[in-house]
Amino acid sequence: MLWVNLRRGLIVSAIFFVLLGLAYPLATTGVGQALFDDRANGSLGKNGSTLIGQQWKGAQWFQGRPDGGDPTATGGSNLGPRSKELVDLYKKRAVALEKQGIKPTPDLVAASGSGIDPDISPRAAYAQVDTVAAARHLPKDRVHALVADRVHGPQWGFLGASHVNVLELNEALSGL
């Protein structure tokens, strides 16, 4: 009787291993690759993933949120709204932006909650147009139009706010 039960248990385990350990993961991976290739592969652009914010050096690039340069170090700073250290940090960032000729906006001064937000508001992108255009010796209206073409509206027309993906914008900028 023991051997019969053991044999049944091994057969059921083998069946579930094949179904849930091999067939299901292969099927979901296949469907993901067939129908959602870009998303299934991490939404990769020429310079990295459009889902992870990156740091861009120099006035010739649009700047994203002032998150850290390490995409594996996610999370906020734990500094509260009354923190003097946080206020001083925001002032320091605002002064640095003004020195570059960029009018500070909240998302260019404040880091995101995740620490890896790849998007900025259209207002923050437009605030950088003059600086980027001057650094690249491009007409302002051409750079402004580039930003306008990269503004993503709310998801399904009503969820969230309009945003600009900084990686997509800088990749388009490098193509000019």
Side-chain angles (χ1 to χ4, degrees):
M1 188 67 166
L2 174 69
W3 296 111
V4 172
N5 287 335
L6 185 60
R7 185 173 148 221
R8 284 181 186 159
L10 289 174
I11 290 171
V12 168
S13 295
I15 290 170
F16 278 106
F17 171 75
V18 169
L19 286 175
L20 301 176
L22 298 175
Y24 178 74
L26 288 174
T28 56
T29 301
V31 168
Q33 290 294 326
L35 300 178
F36 310 104
D37 181 48
D38 180 52
R39 291 184 184 170
N41 291 314
S43 301
L44 293 176
K46 295 176 200 166
N47 298 305
S49 174
T50 58
L51 302 174
I52 299 174
Q54 296 155 22
Q55 300 299 309
W56 298 86
K57 302 296 182 202
Q60 71 273 19
W61 299 109
F62 283 92
Q63 304 301 313
R65 297 191 72 131
D67 295 329
D70 181 7
T72 61
T74 61
S77 68
N78 290 337
L79 297 176
R82 296 182 188 172
S83 167
K84 181 176 177 0
E85 182 182 344
L86 184 63
V87 171
D88 291 343
L89 180 61
Y90 285 0
K91 287 179 182 177
K92 179 180 171 186
R93 289 176 180 166
V95 167
L97 288 168
E98 288 171 345
K99 283 182 182 176
Q100 295 178 37
I102 299 171
K103 184 176 188 245
T105 63
D107 47 342
L108 292 177
V109 174
S112 67
S114 68
I116 57 170
D117 190 355
D119 303 319
I120 58 175
S121 68
R123 179 178 165 210
Y126 289 126
Q128 300 179 63
V129 165
D130 293 348
T131 302
V132 172
R136 289 188 169 259
H137 309 291
L138 293 170
K140 290 178 188 178
D141 58 340
R142 189 166 184 197
V143 178
H144 189 279
L146 185 74
V147 171
D149 289 343
R150 299 296 177 289
V151 173
H152 299 281
Q155 187 176 13
W156 299 318
F158 69 95
L159 287 178
S162 295
H163 63 279
V164 177
N165 186 283
V166 179
L167 175 62
E168 290 174 355
L169 181 58
N170 282 332
E171 285 182 346
L173 182 65
S174 68
L176 289 180

